Amino acid sequence: MARHPEIQSTLEAALFLILVAAAAAQNEHCMCATNKRAHCALDSGSCICTAAGSGQRLDCSTLTSKCLLMKAEMNTRKPRHFPKPEHGFLDNDGLYDPDCEASGIFKARQCNKTDTCWCVNSAGVRRTDKGDKNMKCTELVRTSWIFIELKHKERESAFSETEMANSLRQFIQNRYNLHQKFIPTIKYDYPFILIDLKQNNSEKSYRDVDIADVAYYFEKDIKHDPIFHAGDAFNLSVNGEPLDIEEILIYYVDEKPPKFSMKRLTAGLIAVVVVVILAIIIGITVLVISRRWRTGKYEKVDIKELEVMKRGQSAHAP
């Protein structure tokens, strides 16, 4: 018995919708747990994820490199719609569109699509003065020590230093897969917290996450811009009590010292130096004037006394 054409069309449409819904349900489960900015899709039954901005394939069982994360963030930002002011410029220190190696690490030289270039460390932080496009960076110097300083909100009483250290070590290991041997020191001086991350190149195995990537994920979590998916909530606590961080500073220490010249002096520091020099000059000037004034006064006193003595001698003369 032949089916009615309208019924046939309805059944085909329903089947199509069922297949689309099934595919959508499968795609919902295809995501990168450690990088919400990744592009993921099913390929022959396997979930394949690539980094936004670069298209590099990701291993979602571990952290994505900081270089690829920064590149993704720069490429997902909305473009500026306002005209640039005359002579205006951007400070490229901090977030910039980096050049990454095939492995995901930073290239030693960064130029940010301009003729201005500089050398970076393995954390992507500038370690030299800026130069032109002919600038050479012979090696990617490793950041072996990251110094993280936190400040939590005021509370009625301080946490226990031991509980603070234990909780943070366990949290960093569980959330970012960083072995505790790379967290040698955690200090607490209410309301400030110091976290040391140390990792020499000889200590890091292929499967160990890099401390620079951990610091970047941690900073994003603290600033309420997590890279993990929303379902993987950021709950930082000490012995069950929430630890509310309001400030974070991150310092990078490389295996080789940075190469900055005096150009790196900020306007504020230069102003302080100028004020100190002026204060010294003014102090010397006041001292010289004061001594001259005293000397002149003494000379006047001596002349007056000499005149008095002469008059006295004249009066007693026969």
Side-chain angles (χ1 to χ4, degrees), residues 189-297:
D189 183 10
Y190 177 88
F192 297 100
I193 307 164
L194 164 66
I195 304 174
D196 275 343
L197 305 181
K198 292 187 177 181
Q199 187 183 61
N200 293 325
N201 197 39
S202 59
E203 299 173 327
K204 182 181 179 299
S205 70
Y206 172 73
R207 293 303 301 174
D208 285 326
V209 295
D210 194 282
I211 57 173
D213 301 335
V214 171
Y216 194 67
Y217 269 79
F218 186 57
E219 182 181 13
K220 288 294 187 180
D221 277 335
I222 294 295
K223 294 181 176 179
H224 308 289
D225 184 22
I227 298 170
F228 291 104
H229 275 276
D232 194 357
F234 176 72
N235 295 314
L236 188 58
S237 62
V238 177
N239 199 24
E241 296 184 59
L243 179 60
D244 296 320
I245 304 298
E246 59 181 8
E247 291 181 17
I248 178 171
L249 293 172
I250 301 178
Y251 300 90
Y252 301 88
V253 181
D254 297 344
E255 292 181 344
K256 296 182 179 180
K259 298 179 180 179
F260 290 109
S261 68
M262 291 300 290
K263 294 179 182 179
R264 190 171 181 249
L265 286 174
T266 63
L269 182 55
I270 293 174
V272 171
V273 172
V274 171
V275 169
V276 171
I277 293 174
L278 287 176
I280 293 173
I281 293 173
I282 292 172
I284 293 173
T285 303
V286 170
L287 179 61
V288 170
I289 294 174
S290 175
R291 297 183 73 176
R292 285 185 177 179
W293 180 80
R294 291 175 186 171
T295 304
K297 184 177 179 181

Side-chain angles (χ1 to χ4, degrees), residues 63-70 104-106 121-125 140-148 176 178 182 197-200 204 208-220 227 250-254:
L63 303 187
T64 303
S65 73
K66 180 181 176 181
C67 188
L68 294 179
L69 292 174
M70 285 175 58
I105 65 173
F106 289 92
N121 57 21
S122 61
V125 179
L140 182 68
V141 177
R142 179 167 180 76
T143 298
S144 57
W145 177 21
I146 296 181
F147 178 104
I148 303 175
Y176 310 113
L178 181 67
F182 300 125
L197 305 181
K198 292 187 177 181
Q199 187 183 61
N200 293 325
K204 182 181 179 299
D208 285 326
V209 295
D210 194 282
I211 57 173
D213 301 335
V214 171
Y216 194 67
Y217 269 79
F218 186 57
E219 182 181 13
K220 288 294 187 180
I227 298 170
I250 301 178
Y251 300 90
Y252 301 88
V253 181
D254 297 344

